[in-house]
Amino acid sequence: MTTSSGRLAGRVALVTGAAQGIGRTYARALAEAGARVVVSDIAEPAETVAQLTAAGHDCTGFAADITDQASVEAMVAQTMARFGRIDILVNNAALFGTLTMKPFSEIGVAEWDRVMAVNVRGVWQTITAVVPAMKPAGGKIINVSSGTVFKGTPLLLHYVTSKGAVIALTRSIARELAGSGICVNAIAPGLVMSENVKAHPDWAEMAQAIVTSRAIRRDSTPDDLLGALLFFASSDSDFVTGQTLVVDGGSVMH
């Protein structure tokens, strides 16, 4: 197992949507910074757990559906039974890679509702379940929004709307938790070349145009998000709450 060294030593981090891709990268970075990590996903996260455990990190995983309240509450209860505390929550689980670009008038009601259920209600339900466990010692909640909110990206109205709601949710919950010792912030990535994005025909085709819009003109990788993640997860951000940090190479400047 990892030693107690690292900027997150002694802390427990819960990462949703961590069975693969960016979520797995988040989990790895938190573990390498010294945290004990719980990886969660609607898919079985055993591969992520195995990779982190093989690297010597203290890690466990739970398959959980963040749109199901009972499933989320069980995930939190199991985390508390294993580690006795939750200091960091990364709300990474979201629907994106399986969506296809289409005019807003062609989005079906069922698809719209599913995106909102996962990307907005799931974030709220997970925070609601975690906060009682986090309050005794304080903690950090990190929500994942998207740079598309600031650009008004077309043909993905349900996704962009859901990620705009995450920013609003972040601000309101940060206010409600003021004085609790819990900071609530958001990361808004640009297009990140994860496995799912590389396999997505719509985004793979648009990637070059997005790179051209950046001040730093290169593809973004999951590792580009880790500085923001660790800042928000650590004591470096103890006086920062309700904020959204855009990490997209300067495509959006605000």
Side-chain angles (χ1 to χ4, degrees):
M1 297 297 177
T2 48
T3 66
S4 59
S5 61
R7 66 199 291 195
L8 300 181
R11 302 185 194 183
V12 174
L14 170 59
V15 186
T16 67
Q20 61 178 343
I22 296 172
R24 178 179 290 173
T25 302
Y26 288 156
R28 172 181 54 79
L30 293 165
E32 289 176 350
R36 293 171 288 170
V37 177
V38 178
V39 297
S40 169
D41 206 301
I42 194 168
E44 175 56 55
E47 186 176 345
T48 299
V49 173
Q51 288 184 9
L52 295 180
T53 301
H57 303 300
D58 194 352
C59 175
T60 191
F62 304 111
D65 178 356
I66 63 170
T67 68
D68 183 287
Q69 185 172 348
S71 182
V72 173
E73 290 175 352
M75 173 183 69
V76 171
Q78 290 170 322
T79 299
M80 293 299 289
R82 170 68 184 269
F83 292 123
R85 60 189 295 157
I86 301 174
D87 303 283
I88 300 159
L89 168 64
V90 182
N91 273 312
N92 172 69
L95 284 181
F96 172 67
T98 58
L99 302 177
T100 57
M101 300 182 75
K102 65 188 72 173
F104 68 87
S105 57
E106 296 180 11
I107 297 171
V109 171
E111 183 176 340
W112 178 278
D113 288 348
R114 180 61 181 163
V115 170
M116 295 301 159
V118 176
N119 294 9
V120 184
R121 180 161 58 82
V123 172
W124 162 63
Q125 287 187 159
T126 304
I127 292 172
T128 300
V130 165
V131 161
M134 190 176 278
K135 272 187 173 180
K140 302 299 180 79
I141 297 172
I142 305 161
N143 299 322
V144 180
S145 180
S146 169
T148 60
V149 174
F150 303 94
K151 301 173 81 169
T153 299
L155 304 178
L156 278 170
L157 182 64
H158 44 357
Y159 176 78
V160 177
T161 301
S162 73
K163 290 301 187 177
V166 168
I167 293 174
L169 178 154
T170 297
R171 293 171 177 171
S172 291
I173 293 182
R175 291 281 186 194
E176 289 201 39
L177 291 177
S180 69
I182 300 173
C183 296
V184 188
N185 293 290
I187 299 171
L191 182 65
V192 179
M193 298 308 289
S194 63
E195 295 98 321
N196 285 340
V197 168
K198 290 177 182 177
H200 195 295
D202 291 338
W203 286 111
E205 185 176 335
M206 294 183 66
Q208 188 53 50
I210 292 172
V211 168
T212 301
S213 75
R214 293 172 174 159
I216 303 171
R217 293 192 174 181
R218 64 167 175 80
D219 284 338
S220 173
T221 70
D223 283 353
D224 289 321
L225 306 175
L226 299 183
L229 173 78
L230 294 175
F231 169 68
F232 282 140
S234 72
S235 58
D236 293 347
S237 59
D238 281 354
F239 198 57
V240 180
T241 196
Q243 305 304 309
T244 299
L245 179 56
V246 180
V247 186
D248 73 345
S251 180
V252 170
M253 297 185 182
H254 71 106

